[in-house]
Amino acid sequence: MYGSHTGRRQPVARHHDRKRNLRHSGVAAAGALLSLATLTGCFGASEGPRKNDHAAPPVRQKQRPKATVPYWVNPDGSAARQLAAYRKKGAKGNAQLIQKIAEQPVAEWLGVDDPEGQARGFTEAARHADRNALLVFYNIPHRDCGQYSKGGAADGAAYRAWLDKAVRGIGDRPATVILEPDALPHVADGCTPKKFLEERYDLLTGAVDKLKGLPRTKVYLDAGNPHWIKDPRAIAGPLKRAGIAKADGFALNISNYQTTVENRAYGKRLSAMVGGKPFVIDTSRNGNGPAPGKDDPEAWCNPKGRALGEPPTVHTGDKSVDAYLWIKRPGESDGPCKGGPKAGQWWPRYALDLARNARNAE
């Protein structure tokens, strides 16, 4: 969640069922991105430093059928490189498991450095493959309440400058943007200090306006999950103030484990409060639902026994649900807990467990 810059650390119990920790490092510079996108249609994802056993050239992945899910599969993402490494070693069983992740489109999280180059590179590569880019903007000031993914832009002016670059990078190419995970739930739960609220609303409404000013961009505001903001009325007001009327909808369950059934029911209640707006659900790791029990104050952080959820698709069988998406990148750590590396770093063991436990992943 988002740091308050007050030095005050929220009680750990308040973070139960809500923590995300999705920070990713930046990708290569704009010139390298565009060169690779032009020459090969692929480039490095924002997965952070690569380990020696994760350095094999990627295996070119087929795009999913556009009618099923229009989003781009990055052939050089963390899972694709891990798949190549396992195949190189002859580890067929592990390769088959990781392929469940590598063959699906996952969101690309824009880093702090060179947002214009990153956005342009991802959208150019997606368009080259006749697909849409799925992007996450995650740089709001006072991010993450001082937890594992704290940080963000230094202030409102820095965020607006970053946003302008990212918007220019998208341009007229098709993209869907998940806007600032946790920003509004942290308003609803009181974690973000009141002195920052007006600025946050101004930044989010400005972001919605600029993104919707692009000809082929969809925008979804984060609305938490049903185990974090349990009463949807608490998040409906912040959504309205942040510009949900102009946005395409809202997103639920980002980086969390709550079931699709529960998110769908919650989303419909919330939709009725915000003008009937549709929503998307992050199903990347919710195949087995949340970790059982209430004894672990960090049950949100790398819980054991979790599984990939429904594969990304726009065929949800529910007109209120625009898509099931993999917004959190399966296999990347929530943070240094339960033996995991820092937040956002690729963790092969956890990726294998998610795939091994999956019921619905193709």
Side-chain angles (χ1 to χ4, degrees), residues 157-201:
Y159 184 80
R160 292 183 184 95
W162 180 90
L163 174 69
D164 287 345
K165 293 176 183 177
V167 169
R168 284 199 300 270
I170 295 173
D172 63 356
R173 292 172 290 278
T176 292
V177 174
I178 308 300
L179 185 59
E180 297 299 338
D182 297 350
L184 290 176
H186 275 315
V187 169
D189 72 2
C191 183
T192 300
K194 291 183 179 179
K195 64 181 179 179
F196 297 133
L197 297 188
E198 289 303 319
E199 177 188 65
R200 179 157 296 184
Y201 286 131

Side-chain angles (χ1 to χ4, degrees), residues 256-257 283-289 303-310 326 330 350 353-361:
N256 218 285
Y257 303 86
T283 60
S284 59
R285 306 186 299 178
N286 74 346
N288 282 345
K304 296 180 180 179
R306 300 312 93 204
L308 301 174
E310 290 94 341
W326 285 8
Y350 203 74
D353 285 343
L354 289 171
R356 187 178 293 112
N357 296 333
R359 302 172 185 174
N360 298 318

Side-chain angles (χ1 to χ4, degrees), residues 91-116:
K92 294 182 180 180
N94 285 349
Q96 289 176 346
L97 289 172
I98 290 298
Q99 187 169 355
K100 293 182 180 181
I101 300 174
E103 68 186 6
Q104 298 293 350
V106 298
E108 303 292 349
W109 295 64
L110 296 192
V112 174
D113 298 328
D114 194 23
E116 183 173 353

